[in-house]
Amino acid sequence: MARVARAYWERLADELDEIAAAAAGLIGTPAALVTIVDERLWVAGRFNSRLHGLERDECVCAHGMAEPESVLCVPDLQADARFARMPIAQGPEAVRFYVGAALVDANGAALGMLCAVDQRPRAAPPEPRCRALQRLARGAAMRLGA
């Protein structure tokens, strides 16, 4: 997997925040993130979220990166055995809904995800919106130089 230097994506924070805001608007969620995932998840861009990072085994994004050509949609993390016990799916600020598209480099490797999230369960977005989320993710990956 290609690595994106943290100093580089930190300089792009405002642009990545804008991409996250566009993803939230597209999907209709109150929050969204641009993540970089290596041994842990790093938040490179955010809209309406305080999350800064997680261990890799505690993040939904790592699952989405396993199939970078697909959009990962989880209508309710607490109802999905893969995610129900993760700390992010617990507590008063739990993430319940997740939809994400991989940030893919020129070699086809996933570096992270562009994901839209909500604290309440919801139905999967229509296919055209999922394809649009993938286009936004491609734009974010290109901006990262991936």
Side-chain angles (χ1 to χ4, degrees):
M1 174 193 325
R3 299 283 185 229
V4 177
R6 185 172 182 174
Y8 179 70
W9 55 258
E10 284 179 339
R11 287 194 309 263
L12 298 174
D14 290 342
E15 292 176 57
L16 298 174
D17 289 349
E18 288 296 321
I19 292 170
L26 173 70
I27 302 300
T29 58
L33 303 163
V34 176
T35 67
I36 306 292
V37 182
D38 49 26
E39 66 279 350
R40 63 178 285 117
L41 174 140
W42 305 94
V43 177
R46 69 177 47 84
F47 174 73
N48 201 24
S49 174
R50 292 184 296 221
L51 184 67
H52 291 281
L54 295 167
E55 294 302 316
R56 185 183 177 99
D57 63 350
E58 296 177 345
C59 74
V60 179
C61 292
H63 290 264
M65 291 170 57
E67 295 184 38
E69 67 286 344
S70 300
V71 170
L72 174 62
C73 183
V74 185
D76 185 355
L77 268 65
Q78 291 180 358
D80 189 309
R82 298 172 294 175
F83 310 114
R85 290 189 174 91
M86 287 184 171
I88 198 161
Q90 305 298 316
E93 294 187 23
V95 171
R96 298 288 301 271
F97 171 81
Y98 175 100
V99 62
L103 307 177
V104 180
D105 70 13
N107 297 317
L111 326 159
M113 299 289 282
L114 171 59
C115 56
V117 297
D118 198 342
Q119 289 183 299
R120 64 177 180 84
R122 53 171 60 219
E127 185 60 31
R129 291 188 188 257
C130 289
R131 286 192 305 274
L133 185 67
Q134 287 177 305
R135 287 191 297 277
L136 274 175
R138 280 194 296 276
M142 288 186 336
R143 188 62 190 106
L144 288 164

